[in-house]
Amino acid sequence: MATQENDSTDIEVVLKDLKKINKGSLTELKSFAHPPQLVKKVMEAVCILLGRTPSWEQSKKLLSDVNTLMQQIQNYNKDNIPPEVITKIRNEYTSDPEFSVAQAKNVSGAIWKLCSWVIAMEKYDNLKKSADGK
């Protein structure tokens, strides 16, 4: 898994930070015809967690209704992430050293917060399974 020493993965902190996202910066992301690779990758991971097809087209649909997107993230059922979803997130996203909050901060103010949420969901799932003895 990517190293996240300085990245906040406390879910309550992450969710609080997400509330501070400038909705204009999220809306701006969807205007990219060819988004930076990390923007694309973070949005694919968000799509996967939200049960959508991981594509830039689906990402733009999510970003077209910022209020609904933020509501879905805030109300996400982190206690019941399907195993196939978390496996895909771990194998294809959070295990990539480039998939980090530090890298995302260099790309976009909004995308780093979404990256932080994806990482927090994956870590929460891992801790929950460890605590449950699975």
Side-chain angles (χ1 to χ4, degrees):
M1 179 168 10
T3 306
Q4 309 291 331
E5 298 96 13
N6 298 321
D7 301 340
S8 175
T9 54
D10 177 272
I11 292 187
E12 297 308 315
V13 172
V14 169
L15 291 175
K16 191 174 178 182
D17 280 348
L18 281 167
K19 288 180 182 177
K20 298 176 189 172
I21 286 182
N22 176 331
K23 291 179 182 175
S25 62
L26 279 175
T27 303
E28 178 187 357
L29 291 176
K30 79 173 182 170
S31 69
F32 289 133
H34 302 286
Q37 186 59 32
L38 189 55
V39 168
K40 191 174 173 183
K41 198 155 186 159
V42 169
M43 288 307 302
E44 285 175 3
V46 170
C47 284
I48 291 166
L49 283 166
L50 296 179
R52 306 271 184 121
T53 302
S55 69
W56 184 240
E57 289 306 312
Q58 278 297 316
S59 297
K60 289 194 296 187
K61 286 179 184 176
L62 282 174
L63 292 166
S64 68
D65 187 352
V66 173
N67 291 329
T68 299
L69 171 61
M70 297 312 297
Q71 193 170 38
Q72 288 177 325
I73 287 171
Q74 292 290 331
N75 297 326
Y76 190 73
N77 186 354
K78 64 187 178 296
D79 292 313
N80 292 303
I81 302 172
E84 63 278 6
V85 167
I86 207 64
T87 298
K88 187 169 185 76
I89 292 295
R90 281 190 185 115
N91 292 344
E92 297 180 26
Y93 298 92
T94 59
S95 62
D96 180 350
E98 297 295 313
F99 195 95
S100 72
V101 173
Q103 293 284 339
K105 282 183 179 180
N106 294 326
V107 176
S108 160
I111 212 66
W112 79 261
K113 291 178 182 178
L114 291 171
C115 182
S116 181
W117 177 72
V118 171
I119 292 166
M121 293 301 103
E122 187 271 335
K123 287 193 174 190
Y124 178 85
D125 185 79
N126 194 38
L127 290 171
K128 183 179 182 314
K129 286 188 174 123
S130 294
D132 291 347
K134 293 182 181 176

